[in-house]
Amino acid sequence: MKAILDKQQTYFHQHHTKDVTFRRTQLKKLKAALQENEQLLYNAIYSDFKKSEFDTFATELALVYHEIDIARMKLSGWARKKHVSTNLINFPAQSYVIPEPLGSVLIIGAWNYPYLLTLSPMVAAMAAGCTMIVKPSEIPASTSKALLKIIAETFSPEYITVVEGGVSETTELLKLKFDKIFFTGSTAVGKIVYKAAAENLVPVTLELGGKSPAFVTSKANLKMAAKRIVWSKFLNAGQTCISPDYLMVEASIEDRFKEMIKQQIEKEKFDLENENYSQIINKKNFDRLAALIDQDKLFLGGKMNEEKRVITPTVLHKVSFDDAVMKDEIFGPILPIISYTNLDAAISEVKKLPKPLSAYVFSNSDKEKQKILTEVSFGGGGVNEAVMQITNPSLPFGGVGASGFGSYHGEHGFKAFSHMKAIVEKPNWLELPLKYFPRSKRKLWWIKQIFKI
Ligand code: NAD
């Protein structure tokens, strides 16, 4: 791994990746390679956790292609030197910022969207002009192999290398002095990455998880809320970092809303025959999720097939913050409903949990929307919508507090892998004597006046 990084650093210092045309060409090559290998990608992910072709395209590849297209289209503007105003103390001068690639970076992916979560940061790093080692999650083994094959066939290893492996390989990688580490995964492993990076003072972006709430108030369009919540929660069998983890539902509409959720789940026919309903990734997670289903609180679902690793969409009601299901991120098709009578009290309960990656507000009241959006801290989210914020590259995607820091997508991704080098450039025709010896009261007076402006 050290040898790969050494080669990548040499390649970086030969300035190949600093050329914007080079970056655009490589992004085009990436898109072409992915398109040529789409069937391989579909087969790999289906064998890992039966994710369908439709879902793989709509929730992974389409977003990666969109990121590539935007980066290719906007790269010249992003990478351009940008002039900023110059203050009086520097007169006469020009001031500008030069975006500079950070260098040789490490990207570590999570398993739940194995293509999106490795390729999307890769696109950002390529746009910024970095070289990179990419470590996909080892859990979906076939997708990790597919990525290795495609990247190895498309790029030279001194530019981009995929390294496969789990804890021991990642631990070795984390000892190396990269110029940036971009990590997607759990909060617990995020802490390990952050500590290892600190040893070498390597900057990090941490894209972590958390318990993302969705508030449903009596002022919501309940039918539409049920539709959007069911889609976003059970997409990928609930194994989505930004899906609503639990619902805070106003008590006066709880029964009506639960009925609508039930109807929507029935309409979507989530069962073994539904080819768009993913498996739970592995036995360990299946067992963990099965243990969270409290039969006394079961409103709907809870049917399981251990051999096929499928759990039908499950709704728990009469849930409290003390229940096991409210202790950690669920990351599966279980939707707990907590009812509330007072919005202030509900918000303060939500705020006792670590800051989540997302939060959602289903309400048509401006007052309620504003209240929740300003009082609850979270990475990003939606009003009368869930999960779709991830599809807009103009929005920064990232967490806050325990759900991580830093962001990416579109220009935000370019910036995540760039350093903004700040320059003041002066002509030689004028030099005021103020900064030189001898110091005097008069000069001090002048400096004070100039800094006031
Ligand atoms: P994880 O933290 O277990 O693994 C992520 C990566 O870290 C993998 O590549 C894995 O090989 C590596 N890893 C695991 N243990 C390690 C260790 N001890 N030392 C070094 N490296 C290690 O996460 P996961 O199970 O793959 O993904 C699920 C978590 O990721 C959830 O919490 C979810 O919310 C979060 N997530 C966040 C986002 C986001 O964009 N913010 C996206 C997807 C998933």
Side-chain angles (χ1 to χ4, degrees):
M1 289 171 193
K2 169 90 170 67
I4 301 168
L5 178 60
D6 286 346
K7 276 192 190 143
Q8 293 200 345
Q9 283 174 332
T10 304
Y11 187 74
F12 179 78
H13 289 297
Q14 288 164 347
H15 308 301
H16 305 278
T17 63
K18 291 196 177 152
D19 177 14
V20 170
T21 310
F22 169 90
R23 299 183 211 173
R24 255 205 238 95
T25 309
Q26 302 307 313
L27 286 165
K28 191 175 172 185
K29 265 170 75 174
L30 175 63
K31 186 172 175 185
L34 294 171
Q35 285 176 325
E36 273 165 33
N37 286 285
E38 258 182 24
Q39 201 51 54
L40 169 75
L41 295 168
Y42 293 142
N43 295 347
I45 202 163
Y46 191 80
S47 81
D48 282 331
F49 57 116
K50 292 212 163 29
K51 186 160 176 169
S52 70
E53 205 167 302
F54 182 94
D55 279 7
T56 305
F57 183 80
T59 68
E60 305 216 39
L61 298 181
L63 300 183
V64 174
Y65 294 156
H66 194 40
E67 284 282 333
I68 293 175
D69 293 343
I70 301 261
R72 292 192 66 231
M73 197 164 59
K74 305 244 170 126
L75 192 50
S76 302
W78 296 346
R80 193 179 300 138
K81 158 174 123 179
K82 287 173 192 76
H83 283 267
V84 296
S85 61
T86 298
N87 53 356
L88 191 61
I89 194 85
N90 282 301
F91 179 82
Q94 51 174 324
S95 306
Y96 48 85
V97 176
I98 306 172
E100 156 185 289
L102 282 176
S104 298
V105 305
L106 171 65
I107 293 168
I108 302 173
W111 61 260
N112 59 327
Y113 286 78
Y115 299 139
L116 179 69
L117 300 175
T118 40
L119 293 169
S120 189
M122 232 181 87
V123 171
M126 289 169 75
C130 296
T131 62
M132 65 211 77
I133 291 180
V134 181
K135 211 295 292 174
S137 170
E138 73 286 14
I139 292 176
S142 308
T143 59
S144 172
K145 280 196 176 44
L147 284 170
L148 174 86
K149 179 178 179 299
I150 295 169
I151 299 303
E153 283 172 2
T154 313
F155 300 109
S156 61
E158 57 269 36
Y159 177 38
I160 307 176
T161 300
V162 169
V163 170
E164 284 192 283
V167 177
S168 62
E169 290 80 1
T170 318
T171 306
E172 286 309 306
L173 280 169
L174 288 173
K175 289 179 189 157
L176 303 179
K177 194 169 171 9
F178 286 94
D179 295 300
K180 163 108 193 186
I181 298 174
F182 187 105
F183 172 80
T184 305
S186 59
T187 302
V189 179
K191 287 181 190 172
I192 296 173
V193 171
Y194 200 10
K195 265 190 204 152
E199 273 305 306
N200 291 316
L201 274 185
V202 176
V204 292
T205 293
L206 297 180
E207 295 280 343
L208 311 177
K211 285 187 87 61
S212 302
F215 290 85
V216 184
T217 82
S218 58
K219 303 204 173 63
N221 176 331
L222 295 184
K223 201 161 176 214
M224 189 59 86
K227 205 168 178 177
R228 291 178 179 162
I229 286 172
V230 167
W231 172 79
S232 57
K233 175 69 191 188
F234 300 109
L235 177 73
N236 210 27
Q239 303 167 115
T240 303
C241 56
I242 50 173
S243 74
D245 183 275
Y246 64 101
L247 302 186
M248 297 297 293
V249 178
E250 195 168 338
S252 61
I253 47 115
E254 189 191 354
D255 288 342
R256 220 158 25 108
F257 188 62
K258 278 190 310 200
E259 229 12 76
M260 288 179 189
I261 292 259
K262 186 173 173 221
Q263 281 168 16
Q264 186 61 28
I265 288 174
E266 282 165 2
K267 199 168 152 197
E268 297 240 359
K269 297 197 186 353
F270 289 97
D271 50 35
L272 294 182
E273 277 67 51
N274 184 333
E275 57 162 30
N276 289 310
Y277 192 49
S278 307
Q279 283 179 307
I280 304 304
I281 185 72
N282 54 22
K283 168 102 171 70
K284 189 174 152 210
N285 269 335
F286 181 90
D287 292 344
R288 179 183 63 79
L289 290 164
L292 291 178
I293 302 176
D294 178 347
Q295 294 299 325
D296 292 341
K297 304 208 166 171
L298 189 65
F299 170 71
L300 180 78
K303 297 196 182 67
M304 294 172 228
N305 183 324
E306 191 173 343
E307 195 197 331
K308 293 188 168 164
R309 298 200 315 270
V310 173
I311 300 176
T312 59
T314 300
V315 180
L316 303 178
H317 62 165
K318 303 188 180 101
V319 174
S320 84
F321 280 93
D322 296 327
D323 290 341
V325 76
M326 290 305 295
K327 295 300 167 208
D328 289 305
E329 183 182 4
I330 299 168
F331 225 53
I334 303 172
L335 181 62
I337 297 180
I338 298 180
S339 72
Y340 72 86
T341 45
N342 177 297
L343 186 55
D344 283 303
I347 289 175
S348 78
E349 284 304 311
V350 165
K351 286 173 72 173
K352 286 182 189 161
L353 298 179
K355 292 178 184 178
L357 184 56
S358 299
Y360 303 103
V361 186
F362 288 85
S363 171
N364 287 324
S365 149
D366 287 341
K367 205 169 144 204
E368 287 179 343
K369 288 186 229 171
Q370 271 327 103
K371 186 173 181 59
I372 295 165
L373 292 183
T374 52
E375 293 185 14
V376 182
S377 181
F378 55 93
V383 174
N384 296 321
E385 181 56 294
V387 166
M388 290 302 287
Q389 72 273 15
I390 197 174
T391 62
N392 181 357
S394 301
L395 290 171
F397 182 81
V400 59
S403 53
F405 52 83
S407 62
Y408 70 129
H409 288 181
E411 189 174 8
H412 311 285
F414 172 85
K415 285 183 176 165
F417 289 99
S418 300
H419 164 62
M420 297 296 153
K421 194 184 262 171
I423 305 293
V424 64
E425 181 176 332
K426 285 210 166 183
N428 295 320
W429 55 267
L430 178 70
E431 183 67 342
L432 297 173
L434 280 178
K435 64 187 181 196
Y436 298 101
F437 284 113
R439 312 286 196 232
S440 71
K441 284 208 160 138
R442 190 167 171 70
K443 280 185 181 175
L444 183 60
W445 183 88
W446 266 110
I447 287 172
K448 284 180 179 174
Q449 300 316 303
I450 291 170
F451 266 112
K452 274 185 197 162
I453 300 164

